Amino acid sequence: FNVFDSYSSADVDTYPETHYVVYAAEEPFLLTDYQVVWFHSSAESPTAWTLYGCEEYPCDSGVWHVVDTVDTKRVDADAYKHINSTVDNPGYYQTYMWDWTDVTISSNNDGIRIRE
């Protein structure tokens, strides 16, 4: 599955070892804010992450700039929750990497569920 495929019903169930998602745009763009939605339960939800940006794709330079850092805990396990984030350090980047630094793993330990 492609997380950024314009189909909100498609999701990706990744494993704990896969702790990031990379988005590559056709040209650099300025990201100023974004929204994360937790669905139904706290299981399989990222609770802390760092968003990085790279000026080119692929990121051959290996230079990733910290765009945003979020650290929050899931407390309302049975409801949708929207987290709106205004980025700390906006810039024009062609590649963005969302790196999860803390994840609530479900009891069946099958990873992180994400969708656009």
Side-chain angles (χ1 to χ4, degrees):
F1 290 99
N2 182 346
V3 176
F4 306 102
D5 60 3
S6 299
Y7 295 103
S8 61
S9 62
D11 57 15
V12 176
D13 196 4
T14 66
Y15 292 92
E17 299 82 24
T18 308
H19 62 276
Y20 65 91
V21 168
V22 174
Y23 175 77
E26 291 188 23
E27 57 188 53
F29 67 94
L30 179 65
L31 179 68
T32 58
D33 56 65
Y34 61 98
Q35 184 177 79
V36 174
V37 180
W38 283 325
F39 292 96
H40 303 298
S41 70
S42 60
E44 305 177 331
S45 296
T47 53
W49 58 86
T50 301
L51 182 65
Y52 296 94
C54 184
E55 294 171 350
E56 71 269 357
Y57 178 79
C59 190
D60 291 332
S61 68
V63 178
W64 291 97
H65 303 272
V66 175
V67 176
D68 195 34
T69 302
V70 174
D71 188 2
T72 184
K73 295 296 177 195
R74 179 70 186 244
V75 292
D76 54 342
D78 293 324
Y80 288 97
K81 179 172 176 111
H82 294 78
I83 298 174
N84 297 307
S85 186
T86 300
V87 301
D88 298 327
N89 304 300
Y92 284 88
Y93 301 110
Q94 185 171 1
T95 308
Y96 288 88
M97 177 173 57
W98 187 30
D99 184 21
W100 301 298
T101 54
D102 189 26
V103 178
T104 302
I105 301 298
S106 67
S107 60
N108 63 8
N109 198 29
D110 67 352
I112 305 160
R113 187 170 302 275
I114 57 175
R115 70 171 58 165
E116 69 179 303

